[in-house]
């Protein structure tokens, strides 16, 4: 709890003196690894302490290159060139996390010791941007068209939906809710794959 560990919106740094579960388990022979998609849960803020391997999407050059490539029309070609599966094309969070975890678990398959893995998915989180298949299954045709129309402004609309503003129309509230539901369904599938 924040009152115990001291981390809050005003202070992101984890106290160096506080023992962490990963460190305690490592001392007892566990292999420890973590995957974080949240910039607050970073090594810089002390959260990597005790982990043998700590992967952060915010600082991984392959993920950053991929996110830049998402804006590119030559996406399939880029995917082939850098060896990234095409299913990651519409996702820069959950699918990436599973990809990293799968490879890490495969690399330690012959290890004869228990492991502790900490996985921090960032979805569902605003701005809501589930993969197209989940938009198709959770949004009405009208909502899909509305989503395309205001996708760039979605962060503001999601902030309004969280009660920070009262200017959302009932249709926008329904759209934000449907997008959230689509992200929850996608996250559920990603967790199920592990």
């Amino acid at each position: 709890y924040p009152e115990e560990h001291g981390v809050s919106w005003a202070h992101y740094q984890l106290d160096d003196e506080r023992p962490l579960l990963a460190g305690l388990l490592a001392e007892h022979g566990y292999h420890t690894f973590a995957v974080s998609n949240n910039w607050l849960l970073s090594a810089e803020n002390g959260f990597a302490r005790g982990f043998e391997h700590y992967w952060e999407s915010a600082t991984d050059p392959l993920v950053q290159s991929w996110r830049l490539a998402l804006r590119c029309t030559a996406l399939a070609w880029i995917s082939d060139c850098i060896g990234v599966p095409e299913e990651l094309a519409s996702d820069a969070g959950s699918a990436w996390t599973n990809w990293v975890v799968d490879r890490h678990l495969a690399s330690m398959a012959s290890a004869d010791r228990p492991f502790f893995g900490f996985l921090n998915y960032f979805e569902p989180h605003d701005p809501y941007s589930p993969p197209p298949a989940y938009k198709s299954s959770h949004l009405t045709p009208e909502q899909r068209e509305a989503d395309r129309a205001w996708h760039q402004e979605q962060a503001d609309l999601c902030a309004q939906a969280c009660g920070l503003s009262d200017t959302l129309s009932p249709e926008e509230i329904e759209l934000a809710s449907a997008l959230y539901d689509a992200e929850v369904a996608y996250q559920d599938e990603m967790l199920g794959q592990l």
Side-chain angles (χ1 to χ4, degrees), residues 23-74:
L24 296 172
L25 290 172
E27 288 174 10
H28 287 90
Y30 278 72
H31 170 77
T32 57
F33 70 95
V35 179
S36 176
N37 287 295
N38 185 338
W39 64 273
L40 291 172
L41 301 181
S42 67
E44 182 180 326
N45 288 339
F47 287 91
R49 199 163 26 94
F51 288 104
E52 292 174 56
H53 302 280
Y54 197 86
W55 182 85
E56 297 175 61
S57 64
T59 59
D60 185 277
L62 181 60
V63 173
Q64 297 312 309
S65 298
W66 186 257
R67 286 180 177 158
L68 181 61
L70 286 174
R71 298 182 183 96
C72 209
T73 57

Side-chain angles (χ1 to χ4, degrees), residues 124-169:
H125 196 283
D126 66 24
Y128 304 125
S129 186
Y134 290 84
K135 285 184 181 183
S136 294
S137 65
H138 286 79
L139 277 66
T140 65
E142 295 80 18
Q143 287 175 327
R144 287 193 297 274
E145 188 58 41
D147 177 50
R148 281 189 284 279
W150 60 261
H151 188 74
Q152 297 302 317
E153 302 168 28
Q154 196 180 137
D156 293 336
L157 290 171
C158 289
Q160 293 169 2
C162 292
L164 302 176
S165 174
D166 58 0
T167 60
L168 278 182
S169 70

Side-chain angles (χ1 to χ4, degrees), residues 60-72 74-93 95-96 99:
D60 185 277
L62 181 60
V63 173
Q64 297 312 309
S65 298
W66 186 257
R67 286 180 177 158
L68 181 61
L70 286 174
R71 298 182 183 96
C72 209
L75 192 57
W77 178 81
I78 293 168
S79 176
D80 290 341
C81 287
I82 62 175
V84 174
E86 281 190 49
E87 65 267 15
L88 300 182
S90 62
D91 177 289
W96 276 105
W99 190 62

